[in-house]
Structures are given as structure tokens and as C-alpha cells.
Amino acid sequence: AQSVAQPEDQVNVAEGNPLTVKCTYSVSGNPYLFWYVQYPNRGLQFLLKYITGDNLVKGSYGFEAEFNKSQTSFHLKKPSALVSDSALYFCAVRDLTGGGNKLTFGTGTQLKVEL
Amino acid sequence: GAGVSQSPSNKVTEKGKDVELRCDPISGHTALYWYRQSLGQGLEFLIYFQGNSAPDKSGLPSDRFSAERTGGSVSTLTIQRTQQEDSAVYLCASSPAGRTEAFFGQGTRLTVV
């Protein structure tokens, strides 16, 4: 079975500071990893994905994520946070080689960026 | 349309009534997911369709919940004898076969009064 853990319910950061939102995963095969963002009263928007290749993945709005196979992690990062980045962030995993195409989400991390 | 379409966007129903929620996925997408998001909560997986394979129903919370996908396209999530704890936003997503991301609709906000 595949699973995703987001250990922090909420992350607070000052505008202009770097931010990190943590995600770890568990799969039996090779993971395909995703980050989504949800703004208030909106649907989920895709941010970035890791499929294969370079461990550092760049996505929308200046976000990036680093795949670390040995630590089974896929943390979301941004060098300089903006107030407008405040939203709910979800990490997700797919395990195509483990059998099935199911997309499993973490419980979400609320990011709050303050002036 | 270009994206995943869900209808209605909002639904208020009386306790005990049945409701149907509709999802029109992106044309050609073989995978379709239903998730539930309660107020301030994460995404709860409900059911997953992949092509002609048997659906993964492991997330359906009770036998009051069911879903079907006709012709590999439109999907309907049905909740029978609704209860107040069924109140949530129901999200549908679709994805092409393979290793790409899923695309979400805007959701249906269900309120059971």
C-alpha cells in the first residue's frame, strides 16, 4: 500500500524568508510525486511533479521540490515566501510499478506567510 | 470544456434524502477519482476508476455511498439517505493514463440540513 505523510498541520513563515513544507512517502515500487495547492474556496491546482531524472524539480510560482530517495522525502521549498503563497498544500504519490494508478494524498499543510 | 466539470456547484438537501453529484472529466482521461474534503480537513479518498478495470471502492465510507462511470466518461456519485456528517466538498479529478498529474474540478459543496 502507498501512503503520504505531511507531519506539519501548519507552517508559519515571514514574507521574504525561505519556506519548506515537508512530505514523506511510502511505496512498494517507484514513486511519482506531486504537490498541489488549494486557495480558499478553490479547487486543487497542480504545482509540480517528480517522475524521473533531476532530483530538484521546479514548478509554478517559484516553488521547487527535492526528491530524496534515501529519506523517502519530497519537501516543497521556495527561496522567498510571499503573503500570497498562504494556502493549503497537499503532497501526493502514485506508484505505477507497485500495481495500480491510484493517487494518494497527504493530509495537507496550511502555510501562513505573514508580513 | 477544457477542464473537469462538476455539477451542481452547491447542493443543500434535507437529512434522509438521496443526492447525485456529477463529474464530467477531461475528454480522453482514463482515470477518474472522487475525494471528499470536510471543513478544514484533508482529502479523503472515496473511489477510483481506471479504464475498464473494476473500480477501487476501498474509500467509500458506508453502503449509502456508490458511484458509477458510464461509457468510461461521466461519473455520478450517489449518496442515499444523507446524514449531516455527509456535509463536505466532494471533489472529482481525472487523469490520462500513465505518470502525469490529476486535474481537479471545483467541487460540489454538499450541505445536509
Side-chain angles (χ1 to χ4, degrees):
Chain A
Q2 59 195 47
S3 65
V4 176
Q6 293 182 242
E8 302 155 317
D9 291 337
Q10 181 159 323
V11 170
N12 296 323
V13 64
E15 188 174 53
N17 283 0
L19 69 86
T20 299
V21 182
K22 295 180 181 177
C23 170
T24 58
Y25 65 90
S26 175
V27 297
S28 57
N30 293 321
Y32 299 101
L33 294 154
F34 307 85
W35 275 101
Y36 286 80
V37 60
Q38 186 179 37
Y39 297 100
N41 300 314
R42 302 281 296 276
L44 271 72
Q45 298 177 30
F46 168 75
L47 268 183
L48 53 78
K49 64 184 176 185
Y50 170 81
I51 303 297
T52 187
D54 194 348
N55 290 342
L56 185 64
V57 178
K58 295 187 182 298
S60 307
Y61 312 121
F63 283 92
E64 57 190 28
E66 185 168 12
F67 171 65
N68 187 317
K69 188 173 183 178
S70 63
Q71 297 184 7
T72 62
S73 67
F74 189 58
H75 301 331
L76 181 70
K77 300 181 180 183
K78 187 173 182 181
S80 179
L82 298 173
V83 171
S84 57
D85 292 331
S86 298
L88 186 58
Y89 290 81
F90 291 96
C91 181
V93 67
R94 250 177 173 168
D95 180 10
L96 293 184
T97 56
N101 200 24
K102 182 177 169 181
L103 187 61
T104 301
F105 284 83
T107 52
T109 298
Q110 185 70 49
L111 173 66
K112 187 174 182 181
V113 182
E114 300 168 308
L115 291 170
Chain B
V4 177
S5 178
Q6 292 187 247
S7 60
S9 55
N10 282 283
K11 176 71 176 179
V12 180
T13 190
E14 292 181 351
K15 178 182 174 181
K17 294 287 179 69
D18 297 352
V19 294
E20 286 189 350
L21 312 180
R22 178 186 169 103
C23 173
D24 281 275
I26 294 172
S27 178
H29 282 194
T30 58
L32 187 147
Y33 305 82
W34 283 98
Y35 293 88
R36 177 168 72 174
Q37 186 175 28
S38 301
L39 185 62
Q41 300 299 309
L43 289 169
E44 177 187 4
F45 167 76
L46 297 177
I47 189 169
Y48 159 62
F49 296 89
Q50 174 59 53
N52 295 321
S53 302
D56 179 349
K57 303 180 182 181
S58 60
L60 294 178
S62 76
D63 58 8
R64 295 187 296 106
F65 287 72
S66 64
E68 62 177 21
R69 189 179 184 192
T70 54
S73 181
V74 172
S75 177
T76 301
L77 176 69
T78 301
I79 308 173
Q80 296 178 312
R81 305 181 303 281
T82 52
Q83 303 295 313
Q84 287 186 330
E85 60 263 28
D86 299 335
S87 296
V89 176
Y90 289 81
L91 294 167
C92 176
S94 72
S95 176
R99 48 189 198 176
T100 63
E101 65 272 23
F103 298 82
F104 280 81
Q106 293 299 303
T108 293
R109 182 176 298 278
L110 176 65
T111 304
V112 182
V113 298

